[in-house]
Amino acid sequence: MTGRPAPSVLPPSLRPWLGLIAVLAALVVVALGVMYSGHSEPGTVDRWIVPPTADSVRPPWRHVALALDFLGEPAGSAMLIVAGVVGCLLLRRPRAAVLVTAGVGTTVGATTLIKHLVGRTIHGPGNLSYPSGHTAFATALALMAALFATDRLGLGRTAGTSLVLAAGLAAGATMGWAEVALGAHYPTDVLGGWCTALAVVPATAWLVDRIADRTAEPGRRDHR
C-alpha cells in the first residue's frame, strides 16, 4: 500500500464557489417555501410560464416526457443509481460511489421533508408538490457526474465550476420540463427542486470527503 490519499469528490478548487452557490440556493428554497406555503394554486410566475394544471404536450413529446418522468420514479431511479455506483467502482472511485448513494439519499430526503413542511399541493390535497423531487434527483445525479468528470479531466476552478453548473442546469431543465408538461408540478416547484440539489450535493460531497479523510488518517500514519 502506498498511503496515497483517494481523490476528493469535491475538488478543493471548486469548494469556495460551490459553497457560495449552495448557500444562495438554500436561501431560494426557503424563500419559495415561505411564499407558497399551504398554497394549492399556481402563482403568478407559474401562470406566466404555463398553466400547470393540465397536460401541455401531446405525442410524440408526451412520450418523451413520460420516459423522463419514469427515470425519477423508484424503478427508474434505482437503475440510474446502480449504474452510477457500478461505474464508479469499475473506475476505482469508491468515494464517488459513496457520494452517489449519499447524494441521492440526502437530496430525496430533503425534498420529502420540505414538501411536508411547506404543504403546497397540486391536483388535490394529497399531492404535495414543492419542491419537485424528480427535478432534484436528476439535478443531483448530473452534479455528481460533473464533479467526477472535473476530477478525471483535471479541470481548474473556472472550467470545473462551469461544467458542474451547466450539467445541473441541463438536467434540471430537462426533467423540469417533463414534470411541468405532464402537469405534475408548478414551474416554481421545479426551481425549488433544482435549488435543493444545488444546496445539498456540495454539502454532502464535502461531508463524504471529510469523513473519508478522517478515516484514512490513521492508515496513512501507519505507513510513514
Side-chain angles (χ1 to χ4, degrees), residues 133-172:
H134 281 64
T135 304
F137 170 75
T139 304
L141 281 184
L143 292 174
M144 291 183 287
L147 286 173
F148 181 78
T150 296
D151 173 66
R152 294 282 292 184
L153 298 174
L155 300 180
R157 180 176 60 185
T158 301
T161 302
S162 299
L163 175 61
V164 171
L165 292 179
L169 179 59

Short mmCIF file of all heavy atoms in Angstrom, two decimals, residues 133-172:
data_model
loop_
_atom_site.label_atom_id
_atom_site.label_comp_id
_atom_site.label_asym_id
_atom_site.label_seq_id
_atom_site.Cartn_x
_atom_site.Cartn_y
_atom_site.Cartn_z
N GLY A 133 -39.32 16.61 -6.49
CA GLY A 133 -38.34 15.57 -6.19
C GLY A 133 -37.68 15.02 -7.45
O GLY A 133 -36.49 14.69 -7.44
N HIS A 134 -38.45 14.90 -8.52
CA HIS A 134 -37.89 14.42 -9.78
C HIS A 134 -36.78 15.35 -10.28
O HIS A 134 -35.72 14.90 -10.71
CB HIS A 134 -38.98 14.32 -10.86
CG HIS A 134 -39.83 13.10 -10.75
ND1 HIS A 134 -40.65 12.86 -9.67
CD2 HIS A 134 -40.00 12.04 -11.60
CE1 HIS A 134 -41.28 11.71 -9.85
NE2 HIS A 134 -40.91 11.19 -11.01
N THR A 135 -37.05 16.64 -10.23
CA THR A 135 -36.06 17.61 -10.68
C THR A 135 -34.82 17.59 -9.80
O THR A 135 -33.68 17.65 -10.29
CB THR A 135 -36.66 19.03 -10.70
OG1 THR A 135 -37.84 19.03 -11.51
CG2 THR A 135 -35.67 20.04 -11.24
N ALA A 136 -35.04 17.51 -8.50
CA ALA A 136 -33.91 17.47 -7.57
C ALA A 136 -33.06 16.22 -7.82
O ALA A 136 -31.83 16.29 -7.80
CB ALA A 136 -34.42 17.49 -6.13
N PHE A 137 -33.71 15.09 -8.05
CA PHE A 137 -32.99 13.84 -8.28
C PHE A 137 -32.14 13.93 -9.54
O PHE A 137 -30.94 13.59 -9.52
CB PHE A 137 -33.99 12.69 -8.40
CG PHE A 137 -33.38 11.40 -8.89
CD1 PHE A 137 -32.61 10.63 -8.05
CD2 PHE A 137 -33.58 10.97 -10.19
CE1 PHE A 137 -32.04 9.43 -8.49
CE2 PHE A 137 -33.01 9.79 -10.65
CZ PHE A 137 -32.24 9.01 -9.79
N ALA A 138 -32.72 14.37 -10.63
CA ALA A 138 -31.98 14.48 -11.90
C ALA A 138 -30.83 15.46 -11.78
O ALA A 138 -29.72 15.21 -12.28
CB ALA A 138 -32.93 14.90 -13.02
N THR A 139 -31.08 16.58 -11.12
CA THR A 139 -30.02 17.58 -10.94
C THR A 139 -28.89 17.04 -10.09
O THR A 139 -27.71 17.25 -10.39
CB THR A 139 -30.60 18.85 -10.29
OG1 THR A 139 -31.68 19.35 -11.09
CG2 THR A 139 -29.53 19.93 -10.16
N ALA A 140 -29.24 16.32 -9.03
CA ALA A 140 -28.23 15.76 -8.14
C ALA A 140 -27.32 14.79 -8.89
O ALA A 140 -26.09 14.84 -8.75
CB ALA A 140 -28.90 15.06 -6.96
N LEU A 141 -27.90 13.91 -9.69
CA LEU A 141 -27.09 12.96 -10.45
C LEU A 141 -26.15 13.69 -11.42
O LEU A 141 -24.98 13.33 -11.56
CB LEU A 141 -27.99 12.01 -11.23
CG LEU A 141 -28.62 10.85 -10.46
CD1 LEU A 141 -29.41 9.97 -11.42
CD2 LEU A 141 -27.58 10.02 -9.73
N ALA A 142 -26.67 14.71 -12.08
CA ALA A 142 -25.85 15.46 -13.03
C ALA A 142 -24.72 16.20 -12.33
O ALA A 142 -23.59 16.24 -12.83
CB ALA A 142 -26.73 16.44 -13.80
N LEU A 143 -25.00 16.78 -11.18
CA LEU A 143 -23.97 17.49 -10.42
C LEU A 143 -22.85 16.53 -10.00
O LEU A 143 -21.66 16.85 -10.12
CB LEU A 143 -24.58 18.15 -9.19
CG LEU A 143 -25.53 19.32 -9.42
CD1 LEU A 143 -26.14 19.76 -8.11
CD2 LEU A 143 -24.81 20.48 -10.09
N MET A 144 -23.24 15.35 -9.52
CA MET A 144 -22.23 14.39 -9.08
C MET A 144 -21.42 13.86 -10.25
O MET A 144 -20.19 13.66 -10.13
CB MET A 144 -22.91 13.25 -8.32
CG MET A 144 -23.48 13.70 -6.98
SD MET A 144 -24.21 12.37 -5.99
CE MET A 144 -25.73 12.06 -6.91
N ALA A 145 -22.06 13.64 -11.38
CA ALA A 145 -21.33 13.20 -12.57
C ALA A 145 -20.35 14.27 -13.02
O ALA A 145 -19.21 13.98 -13.42
CB ALA A 145 -22.31 12.87 -13.70
N ALA A 146 -20.76 15.53 -12.95
CA ALA A 146 -19.88 16.63 -13.36
C ALA A 146 -18.71 16.80 -12.39
O ALA A 146 -17.59 17.12 -12.81
CB ALA A 146 -20.68 17.93 -13.46
N LEU A 147 -18.95 16.59 -11.10
CA LEU A 147 -17.85 16.65 -10.13
C LEU A 147 -16.83 15.56 -10.42
O LEU A 147 -15.61 15.79 -10.36
CB LEU A 147 -18.40 16.48 -8.70
CG LEU A 147 -19.15 17.68 -8.12
CD1 LEU A 147 -19.78 17.29 -6.79
CD2 LEU A 147 -18.23 18.87 -7.95
N PHE A 148 -17.31 14.37 -10.75
CA PHE A 148 -16.42 13.27 -11.08
C PHE A 148 -15.62 13.59 -12.35
O PHE A 148 -14.41 13.37 -12.41
CB PHE A 148 -17.24 12.00 -11.29
CG PHE A 148 -16.42 10.78 -11.63
CD1 PHE A 148 -15.74 10.11 -10.63
CD2 PHE A 148 -16.30 10.33 -12.93
CE1 PHE A 148 -14.97 8.99 -10.93
CE2 PHE A 148 -15.55 9.23 -13.25
CZ PHE A 148 -14.87 8.54 -12.24
N ALA A 149 -16.30 14.15 -13.36
CA ALA A 149 -15.63 14.50 -14.61
C ALA A 149 -14.59 15.59 -14.38
O ALA A 149 -13.51 15.58 -15.00
CB ALA A 149 -16.65 14.94 -15.64
N THR A 150 -14.90 16.54 -13.52
CA THR A 150 -13.96 17.61 -13.22
C THR A 150 -12.66 17.05 -12.66
O THR A 150 -11.55 17.49 -13.04
CB THR A 150 -14.58 18.59 -12.20
OG1 THR A 150 -15.71 19.22 -12.80
CG2 THR A 150 -13.57 19.65 -11.78
N ASP A 151 -12.78 16.07 -11.77
CA ASP A 151 -11.59 15.45 -11.20
C ASP A 151 -10.83 14.65 -12.25
O ASP A 151 -9.61 14.75 -12.37
CB ASP A 151 -11.99 14.55 -10.03
CG ASP A 151 -10.81 13.75 -9.51
OD1 ASP A 151 -9.86 14.35 -8.98
OD2 ASP A 151 -10.83 12.50 -9.64
N ARG A 152 -11.55 13.85 -13.03
CA ARG A 152 -10.90 12.99 -14.03
C ARG A 152 -10.19 13.81 -15.10
O ARG A 152 -9.12 13.42 -15.57
CB ARG A 152 -11.94 12.09 -14.68
CG ARG A 152 -12.58 11.06 -13.76
CD ARG A 152 -11.68 9.87 -13.52
NE ARG A 152 -11.50 9.06 -14.72
CZ ARG A 152 -10.82 7.93 -14.76
NH1 ARG A 152 -10.24 7.46 -13.66
NH2 ARG A 152 -10.69 7.25 -15.88
N LEU A 153 -10.79 14.93 -15.48
CA LEU A 153 -10.21 15.76 -16.54
C LEU A 153 -9.20 16.77 -16.01
O LEU A 153 -8.54 17.46 -16.80
CB LEU A 153 -11.32 16.50 -17.29
CG LEU A 153 -12.35 15.61 -18.02
CD1 LEU A 153 -13.48 16.45 -18.59
CD2 LEU A 153 -11.67 14.81 -19.13
N GLY A 154 -9.11 16.89 -14.70
CA GLY A 154 -8.17 17.84 -14.12
C GLY A 154 -8.53 19.29 -14.40
O GLY A 154 -7.63 20.12 -14.59
N LEU A 155 -9.81 19.61 -14.42
CA LEU A 155 -10.24 20.97 -14.74
C LEU A 155 -9.96 21.92 -13.58
O LEU A 155 -9.99 21.53 -12.41
CB LEU A 155 -11.73 20.98 -15.06
CG LEU A 155 -12.18 20.11 -16.25
CD1 LEU A 155 -13.68 20.23 -16.44
CD2 LEU A 155 -11.45 20.51 -17.52
N GLY A 156 -9.71 23.15 -13.92
CA GLY A 156 -9.48 24.18 -12.91
C GLY A 156 -10.78 24.72 -12.34
O GLY A 156 -11.87 24.23 -12.66
N ARG A 157 -10.65 25.76 -11.52
CA ARG A 157 -11.81 26.30 -10.82
C ARG A 157 -12.88 26.81 -11.77
O ARG A 157 -14.06 26.46 -11.65
CB ARG A 157 -11.38 27.43 -9.89
CG ARG A 157 -12.53 28.04 -9.11
CD ARG A 157 -12.03 29.07 -8.14
NE ARG A 157 -11.33 30.17 -8.82
CZ ARG A 157 -10.72 31.15 -8.17
NH1 ARG A 157 -10.69 31.17 -6.85
NH2 ARG A 157 -10.11 32.11 -8.86
N THR A 158 -12.50 27.63 -12.74
CA THR A 158 -13.50 28.22 -13.63
C THR A 158 -14.16 27.18 -14.52
O THR A 158 -15.38 27.11 -14.61
CB THR A 158 -12.85 29.31 -14.51
OG1 THR A 158 -12.28 30.31 -13.67
CG2 THR A 158 -13.88 29.94 -15.43
N ALA A 159 -13.33 26.35 -15.18
CA ALA A 159 -13.88 25.33 -16.07
C ALA A 159 -14.68 24.30 -15.30
O ALA A 159 -15.75 23.86 -15.73
CB ALA A 159 -12.75 24.66 -16.84
N GLY A 160 -14.18 23.90 -14.13
CA GLY A 160 -14.87 22.91 -13.33
C GLY A 160 -16.21 23.41 -12.82
O GLY A 160 -17.22 22.71 -12.90
N THR A 161 -16.21 24.62 -12.30
CA THR A 161 -17.46 25.19 -11.80
C THR A 161 -18.47 25.36 -12.93
O THR A 161 -19.67 25.08 -12.76
CB THR A 161 -17.21 26.55 -11.13
OG1 THR A 161 -16.27 26.40 -10.07
CG2 THR A 161 -18.50 27.14 -10.57
N SER A 162 -18.00 25.80 -14.08
CA SER A 162 -18.88 25.97 -15.24
C SER A 162 -19.49 24.65 -15.67
O SER A 162 -20.67 24.57 -15.99
CB SER A 162 -18.11 26.60 -16.40
OG SER A 162 -17.61 27.88 -16.06
N LEU A 163 -18.67 23.59 -15.68
CA LEU A 163 -19.16 22.27 -16.06
C LEU A 163 -20.22 21.78 -15.09
O LEU A 163 -21.27 21.26 -15.50
CB LEU A 163 -18.01 21.27 -16.13
CG LEU A 163 -18.39 19.81 -16.42
CD1 LEU A 163 -19.07 19.70 -17.78
CD2 LEU A 163 -17.17 18.91 -16.34
N VAL A 164 -19.96 21.93 -13.80
CA VAL A 164 -20.91 21.47 -12.79
C VAL A 164 -22.24 22.21 -12.91
O VAL A 164 -23.32 21.60 -12.91
CB VAL A 164 -20.32 21.66 -11.38
CG1 VAL A 164 -21.38 21.39 -10.31
CG2 VAL A 164 -19.13 20.72 -11.17
N LEU A 165 -22.18 23.52 -13.05
CA LEU A 165 -23.41 24.31 -13.15
C LEU A 165 -24.16 24.01 -14.45
O LEU A 165 -25.39 23.92 -14.46
CB LEU A 165 -23.10 25.79 -13.04
CG LEU A 165 -22.60 26.27 -11.68
CD1 LEU A 165 -22.31 27.77 -11.72
CD2 LEU A 165 -23.61 25.95 -10.59
N ALA A 166 -23.42 23.86 -15.54
CA ALA A 166 -24.06 23.58 -16.82
C ALA A 166 -24.75 22.22 -16.80
O ALA A 166 -25.88 22.07 -17.30
CB ALA A 166 -23.03 23.62 -17.95
N ALA A 167 -24.09 21.23 -16.22
CA ALA A 167 -24.69 19.89 -16.14
C ALA A 167 -25.93 19.91 -15.27
O ALA A 167 -26.96 19.32 -15.62
CB ALA A 167 -23.66 18.90 -15.58
N GLY A 168 -25.85 20.60 -14.13
CA GLY A 168 -27.01 20.68 -13.25
C GLY A 168 -28.17 21.42 -13.89
O GLY A 168 -29.33 21.02 -13.75
N LEU A 169 -27.85 22.49 -14.61
CA LEU A 169 -28.90 23.27 -15.28
C LEU A 169 -29.56 22.45 -16.38
O LEU A 169 -30.79 22.46 -16.52
CB LEU A 169 -28.30 24.55 -15.86
CG LEU A 169 -29.27 25.47 -16.62
CD1 LEU A 169 -30.40 25.91 -15.70
CD2 LEU A 169 -28.53 26.68 -17.19
N ALA A 170 -28.75 21.74 -17.17
CA ALA A 170 -29.30 20.95 -18.28
C ALA A 170 -30.21 19.84 -17.75
O ALA A 170 -31.33 19.63 -18.26
CB ALA A 170 -28.16 20.36 -19.10
N ALA A 171 -29.75 19.12 -16.73
CA ALA A 171 -30.55 18.03 -16.19
C ALA A 171 -31.81 18.55 -15.52
O ALA A 171 -32.90 18.00 -15.69
CB ALA A 171 -29.72 17.22 -15.20
N GLY A 172 -31.66 19.63 -14.74
CA GLY A 172 -32.83 20.18 -14.06
C GLY A 172 -33.85 20.73 -15.02
O GLY A 172 -35.07 20.54 -14.83
#
